[in-house]
Each structure stands twice: as structure tokens, then as C-alpha cells.
Amino acid sequence: MNKIYEHNYITNFIIRLDFEKKLEEDNFESLFKVLEKDYKTTEKYDIHNANVVFNENDASKKPSIAETEVVRNYIFYNENKTERFTLNKESIIFEALCGVEYEKVKKYIKKLVDILAKDYNIENFIRIGIRYVNAIKTDFKDKKDILKWEGYINPNLIPPKKIFDNQVLLQHMQTFDFKTDAKNHLGCRLQVGIPNHELPKGLKEKVYLIDIDGFSYRKVNTDKAIDILDTIHEQDIELFEMCIDNKLRKEMQ
């Protein structure tokens, strides 16, 4: 997306790697050193997770709340806080509020993966993924234009005019879940359409959402993690291209 076009509509870009085994709490110094030079603003906060459990020996079969688990998160921001890395004992998460060059982020991810394998004996990730959220927003003169995306969006993804009355349609979202690569056990959840965050109020903005969430659904060895990330990234881009049309491509160049 931003790798191809000079301009883009990316509002969120996320890379996440979930560890097969949990790291020892507060023993992340080797990982911190990778980020501290360029992501200097740091903070930490705790998340309290409570799991629901069922006791099979209990005749009532009523669920109970297990002991609360505390997960401490360490966050590293860039200078203007548009990007951040979050580290905890369960995962690494990179988040950006705009389009970011994938190769730039991958450089840090690769270093972190290498350290996880060498210093923390992490052999596998139970899930890795890349998510692109695109909010394509344009001006309009008439409310009827809110639903007009010809030339910008794949015609198969535009609301059918013969079924819906433009004056009463409040939202039009579609979700597709599918396999993208059976060999590498990769999948994707694609959400597209015209969102409305003010339901049940009427549509007030002309926005088309393309939310692409590519991921692995089986374990990924640390040696293969970067190659799999590359594959997911390429497939995310291909899906984006399938969703858009030539007028949008021209405007993004």
C-alpha cells in the first residue's frame, strides 16, 4: 500500500507476534536495547486478565473466575507518538497511526525475533499477523453522493442501488474470512464497506473502510517468521488492490 503509492489512506498499521511460551516477567533488557535508540519515549502499564473456568467436579457446572493474571506492558514511542512498540511476556506488537514503510519496521522485528530465539529460547509463535486499516475519505456535495464509489472501489463491493434506498441506508459493511495460503497455513479477515460510528444517526461522512487482517493460524517457527511476515504483507497488498479501482489508484500516485 504505502510501499506502492506516494499517498495512502492508512489509519492503522499493526504487526503482532504471539509467543508459544511466556517470557519471564521483567526480563526484557535484551529486547529493550533494540528499540531504545529510535523509540525513546517509554511507559508501562499493567493489564489484569481474569479467566472463566469450569469445574467438572462441581455438580452445578457453574463457571468461576480464576485468579487474576497481571500482564505488564512496556511501550516504546517514536518522537511524535505516531508509532509504538508494545512488549510483554506474551507478545510483541507494533502499531502506527499512519502508513509506515514495511521494510523499516521489519528491520526491528527481525532483530527482536533473533533475540527471542537466542536469549529467550522462543522456538515458535502461535500466531503472527499484519493488519492494515484504510479509511478512504472524500468530500461530497449531496448526501446521495455518500454511497457513490464508482471508479474508486471494486464494483462488486459497492452497495447495490436497486435494493437499498440511499436515503435510509445507515451502514453497509461486509466481512469475508478465508484462507490465503493453505501451504503456509495463512488466513485473512477482510472487512469492507461504508461504516457509521454514529448509529442510529444517518451517514454524515463519505468514508469507505478497507480493513485487511492477515495472519497465521498455525505455529510458525522463529526461523521462518520473517518469511511468513513477508508473505502476509504481500497478500495484504494484493487484497487491497482487489478492493480498489483505477480512480483511487491515480489519486494515490
Side-chain angles (χ1 to χ4, degrees):
M1 296 172 211
N2 57 320
K3 183 179 179 181
I4 299 174
Y5 300 105
E6 183 177 351
H7 307 288
N8 62 73
Y9 293 90
I10 298 170
T11 59
N12 297 88
F13 171 52
I14 303 166
I15 298 177
R16 177 168 181 147
L17 302 93
D18 294 331
F19 313 144
E20 182 180 29
K21 67 175 185 178
K22 295 179 182 180
L23 304 183
E24 182 181 343
E25 194 74 82
D26 296 328
N27 182 26
F28 305 148
E29 287 302 318
S30 297
L31 299 169
F32 290 169
K33 289 179 181 179
V34 175
L35 304 174
E36 288 173 339
K37 181 179 179 181
D38 298 313
Y39 294 84
K40 298 179 180 179
T41 304
T42 62
E43 64 181 49
K44 62 182 178 180
Y45 69 92
D46 294 340
I47 295 178
H48 297 262
N49 294 330
N51 297 317
V52 177
V53 296
F54 292 86
N55 186 351
E56 295 184 358
N57 297 322
D58 185 350
S60 68
K61 301 295 183 182
K62 291 183 178 180
S64 60
I65 304 297
E67 183 179 352
T68 300
E69 179 185 23
V70 178
V71 178
R72 176 158 293 177
N73 289 268
Y74 297 86
I75 306 177
F76 293 78
Y77 292 96
N78 65 344
E79 186 176 357
N80 55 11
K81 287 197 170 184
T82 58
E83 304 172 20
R84 70 180 184 184
F85 276 91
T86 301
L87 305 179
N88 59 50
K89 63 184 179 181
E90 299 175 346
S91 61
I92 293 172
I93 305 169
F94 172 82
E95 300 171 273
L97 301 177
C98 56
V100 176
E101 184 181 350
Y102 169 70
E103 292 297 328
K104 170 194 168 185
V105 182
K106 188 176 79 170
K107 176 180 66 175
Y108 294 101
I109 297 292
K110 186 179 186 309
K111 290 180 180 178
L112 293 170
V113 169
D114 290 343
I115 290 173
L116 285 166
K118 180 181 177 181
D119 296 351
Y120 297 89
N121 297 317
I122 297 295
E123 296 181 357
N124 298 293
F125 298 104
I126 57 174
R127 186 184 189 276
I128 63 177
I130 303 178
R131 182 179 181 184
Y132 279 99
V133 181
N134 304 265
I136 301 159
K137 186 175 181 179
T138 65
D139 296 327
F140 65 96
K141 295 181 179 180
D142 190 291
K143 280 192 174 183
K144 292 182 179 180
D145 294 336
I146 291 177
L147 303 180
K148 293 181 180 179
W149 289 99
E150 290 79 5
Y152 288 85
I153 302 299
N154 184 321
N156 295 313
L157 301 177
I158 299 175
K161 297 177 182 178
K162 293 183 180 179
I163 298 177
F164 298 107
D165 184 341
N166 290 0
Q167 298 300 319
V168 299
L169 183 64
L170 300 179
Q171 180 170 261
H172 181 269
M173 294 297 300
Q174 302 178 77
T175 300
F176 304 90
D177 292 281
F178 46 84
K179 291 183 180 180
T180 54
D181 187 331
K183 179 182 177 181
N184 290 310
H185 310 293
L186 305 181
C188 182
R189 166 162 286 194
L190 172 65
Q191 298 183 81
V192 295
I194 300 170
N196 184 355
H197 300 297
E198 296 188 20
L199 285 172
K201 296 180 181 179
L203 290 164
K204 294 181 180 180
E205 294 183 311
K206 185 171 182 178
V207 179
Y208 196 93
L209 181 71
I210 302 176
D211 183 348
I212 304 169
D213 188 4
F215 56 89
S216 63
Y217 53 83
R218 288 193 184 176
K219 292 180 182 179
V220 177
N221 187 271
T222 50
D223 290 341
K224 298 180 179 179
I226 299 303
D227 289 339
I228 292 297
L229 274 179
D230 286 343
T231 300
I232 294 172
H233 180 250
E234 291 168 2
Q235 292 177 350
D236 282 0
I237 290 175
E238 290 176 4
L239 284 168
F240 180 74
E241 288 294 325
M242 292 171 60
C243 292
I244 65 173
D245 213 338
N246 288 331
K247 283 186 179 179
L248 183 58
R249 292 189 180 96
K250 186 175 181 180
E251 289 188 6
M252 293 172 65
Q253 290 177 350

